[in-house]
Amino acid sequence: MTSPGPSSRADLPEWRALAAHAASLEGITLRDLFAADRHRAERLAFEACGLFVDHAKQRLADSTLPLLVQLARGCGLREQIDAMFAGGRINATENRAVLHVALRAPRGMRLEVDGHDVVPDVHAVLDRMAAFCDGVRQGEWHGHTGRPIRNVVNIGIGGSDLGPVMAFTALRHYADRGLTFRFVSNVDGTDFAEAVHDLDPAETLFIVCSKTFTTQETLANARTARSWTLAALRDEAAVARHFVAVSTNAAEVAAFGIDTTTMFGFWDWVGGRYSMDSAIGLSTMLAIGPEQFQEMLAGFRAMDEHFRSAGFERNLPVLHGLVAVWNTTFLGAHTIAVLPYDQYLSRFPAYLQQLAMESNGKRVTLGGRAIDDYQTCPVYWGEPGTNGQHSFYQLIHQGTRIIPCDFIGFIQSLQPLGRHHDLLMANCFAQAEALAFGKTEAEVRGDGVSEPLVAHKTFPGDRPSSMIVGERLTPRLLGSLVALYEHAVFTAGAIWDVNPFDQWGVELGKVLATRIAPELEASVEPALTHHDGSTAALIRRYRAGRSR
Ligand code: F6P
C-alpha cells in the first residue's frame, strides 16, 4: 500500500503552484474579481444532468480552476476514476473494490469485480425488490393476520439509515400516502418507542437494514421490534410476514431469525454511505414505487457517466470536489455549510455529513503517512433555508471565520402555494449575494447610520458560496445530486491522498462501549481500574443512580 510519486501531495509542483497562487490572492475580494471580469458569471457556471452549478461567487481568480485541474491530474485523479469504474480494489485498507456505480448500471453494461460481471446480480436484486414492493403496495403481501401492511419501519444506522431517511423525505411528494414510514436508528429506546407508539403490529413491516448485520444498535432495535410484534401477534410464524432484511451477510440474517428468502442482498463493494440506491433503498422503493426508483437510478447513472467522461474543466463533481479542497486546504476554511432551499431536502445535510466526513475525515495517506502538512476534510453541516437565516447565518455573515456555503434550490416548487416559492428563492439568491459582496462602511454611512453603529452594521462580504439550481426536485434529479456529491467526495479524497472508503475511526468507541455496557449492568461492583479516573467515576455515578 504505497502511493507513487512524492511522499506528500504538498511536494507536488502543482500543489506548490496553488499554494503560491492562494497567497497572491490575499487582499483581492469578490467585488474586485467581479469588477475585473464582466463574463465571470458565465465562465464559472457549469451545467450537466439537470443541475446548474454556479461557482462565480467562490474566491476563484482566472487561473484558479486551471491550476486545480492540473493538481487533479498531478494527483492521478483520471487513473483513480478509471480504476474505480474498472472494479479495482481501490479501498486498499479493506482490500475491496468500490463499485457503487454498478448499482445504477443499465442492464447489459459490464462492470466486473475479479472478472465477474456484477450488473446481472444488481438487476436480479432490483427485480426482486420491485416484485416485493408491488406486492406490499397492492396489498398482496399482507401481515400475519391477513391485514394489509400500512406501516413500514426501517431499522438501520449510518448508511443504513441516513440515505433511506434522506431519500424518503426528499421524495415524499412522490410517495404512496397510504403507507406510513418511520425510521429507527438510535440505540436509545426512545427512538423505537416513539416510532411505533401509534402503529398496529398487525399492519407493520420492519425492514432491518445492516450491511454487516452485526451493528449493535440495529440488532438491539430489531430484537425489540421482534418482541413488540410477537407480544401482539403471539406466533413465531408472524416474523416471516413482518420482517425483511437488507444485508451482505446472509449467515447473520439467518442467525437472527429472518428467513433469507425475504432478504435483499448487496455486496462488499458497496460502502454503507454509498448504498442508498442498493437494496438499502427498499423503503424508498416502497414509498415511491419501482418506476420512480428506476428514475432515481437514471439520475445517478447520468452523473456517473458525466463524471467518467467529461473533461475535468467542465466536470461537475470534479470541480465541486476541487472547490472544496481550494476552500479548506488552500484558503483555510474549517467547515462547509450545506443550505438547501427546499424543505424536502431537510435531511440532505445530515446525509452529506456521513458521506463526506466518514469518507474523507482521515489523518493518514493511503500509504500510511501521517498528514501533518495540510488539512483534509472540513466539517459539513447545515439546515434548510430560510430557517438557518434566523439562527446561524449571523456568524456566516459577520463572524470571524470564513464558512463557504453550498446553496441548493429549484426553479419550480413541488408545492406551489401563493408567493411562497418566489419568497424562498429570493432569500436564497439574496443570501449568496449578501455574503459575496457585503455592505461597506461607506455604504452603511450613506444610509445615515450613526457612527458608533457603523462597524456593527458593516458586512465584510467576500464570503464564498456555490449555487446549485435544478428545475424541480424529481427522483431523477435527486439521483444526480447525490452522485454529484459522491464523486466530489471521491475527487477531494484523491487530492488529499486518503482512502475515502474505509472508516477505522469508528471502531475504538464501539469496542469501548462493548466493554463498558456489562460494567454498567453487572450486579457485582466491577473493577474499574483499567479506566481513567473520569470514566470510572461516571460509571460509578451511573450505577448508583441506575439501581435507585
Ligand atoms: O460505524 C460506522 C458504520 O460502519 C457505517 O460506515 C455504516 O454505514 C454504519 O456503521 C452501519 O453499518 P451496518 O450497515 O453494517 O449496520
Side-chain angles (χ1 to χ4, degrees), residues 50-53 407-411 425 429 467-471:
L51 291 171
F52 174 82
V53 184
F407 289 94
I408 305 171
F410 298 93
I411 306 282
M425 292 310 291
F429 298 148
M467 180 72 64
I468 303 175
V469 182
E471 184 73 9

Side-chain angles (χ1 to χ4, degrees), residues 393-448:
Y393 277 42
Q394 164 64 39
L395 184 151
I396 307 183
H397 282 287
Q398 287 188 317
T400 51
R401 293 183 188 282
I402 299 295
I403 300 181
C405 302
D406 276 5
F407 289 94
I408 305 171
F410 298 93
I411 306 282
Q412 290 172 18
S413 172
L414 296 174
Q415 301 290 355
L417 281 177
R419 291 184 71 208
H420 282 266
H421 196 62
D422 293 338
L423 294 176
L424 176 73
M425 292 310 291
N427 274 280
C428 179
F429 298 148
Q431 290 297 326
E433 191 171 39
L435 286 167
F437 304 109
K439 191 165 184 181
T440 63
E441 284 188 8
E443 287 166 342
V444 173
R445 282 199 187 90
D447 287 346

Side-chain angles (χ1 to χ4, degrees), residues 84 115 117 156 175 177-178 181 194 205 299 363 450 453 483 499 534 542:
M84 176 169 74
D117 181 9
R177 302 288 175 147
F181 287 82
E194 287 293 340
L205 174 76
R363 55 170 284 284
S450 66
L453 283 182
N499 178 5
S534 160
Y542 180 86

Side-chain angles (χ1 to χ4, degrees), residues 157-160 210-213 215 272-273 354 358 503 506 510:
I157 198 162
S160 299
S210 176
K211 180 177 170 182
T212 55
F213 231 77
T215 302
R273 52 194 175 272
Q354 188 200 11
E358 201 173 72
Q503 55 284 316
V506 303
K510 287 185 191 173

Side-chain angles (χ1 to χ4, degrees), residues 48-53 104 166 170 276 296 298-304 316-317 320 338 340 342 344-345 348-349 351-352 355 406-410 467-470 472-489:
C49 314
L51 291 171
F52 174 82
V53 184
R104 46 268 192 161
M166 182 278 287
M276 61 166 272
M296 184 180 81
F300 272 100
R301 189 187 309 144
M303 189 58 80
D304 294 343
L316 259 52
H320 219 74
V338 181
D342 190 303
Y344 284 123
L345 288 182
F348 193 71
Y351 170 78
L352 200 54
L355 181 66
D406 276 5
F407 289 94
I408 305 171
F410 298 93
M467 180 72 64
I468 303 175
V469 182
R472 71 203 303 253
L473 180 53
T474 59
R476 183 181 284 255
L477 199 109
L478 181 73
S480 293
L481 182 67
V482 173
L484 164 71
Y485 277 98
E486 284 181 346
H487 299 318
V489 165

Side-chain angles (χ1 to χ4, degrees), residues 280-343:
I280 291 289
L282 190 64
S283 57
T284 314
M285 194 191 272
L286 276 166
I288 65 174
E291 274 180 29
Q292 293 286 24
F293 195 85
Q294 282 295 344
E295 275 290 297
M296 184 180 81
L297 295 184
F300 272 100
R301 189 187 309 144
M303 189 58 80
D304 294 343
E305 190 45 32
H306 170 76
F307 179 56
R308 199 183 59 76
S309 59
F312 287 175
E313 297 79 2
R314 56 180 189 84
N315 188 311
L316 259 52
V318 169
L319 294 175
H320 219 74
L322 290 175
V323 168
V325 171
W326 172 242
N327 276 321
T328 56
T329 307
F330 291 95
L331 299 183
H334 293 214
T335 80
I336 292 181
V338 181
L339 308 167
Y341 277 66
D342 190 303
Q343 194 61 28

Side-chain angles (χ1 to χ4, degrees), residues 156-162 209-218 246-248 266 271-275 280 354 358 502-503 506-507 510:
I157 198 162
S160 299
D161 168 71
L162 289 163
C209 283
S210 176
K211 180 177 170 182
T212 55
F213 231 77
T214 57
T215 302
Q216 186 195 53
E217 293 94 326
T218 299
V246 179
S247 187
T248 59
F266 61 115
R273 52 194 175 272
Y274 297 86
S275 67
I280 291 289
Q354 188 200 11
E358 201 173 72
D502 63 13
Q503 55 284 316
V506 303
E507 296 303 328
K510 287 185 191 173

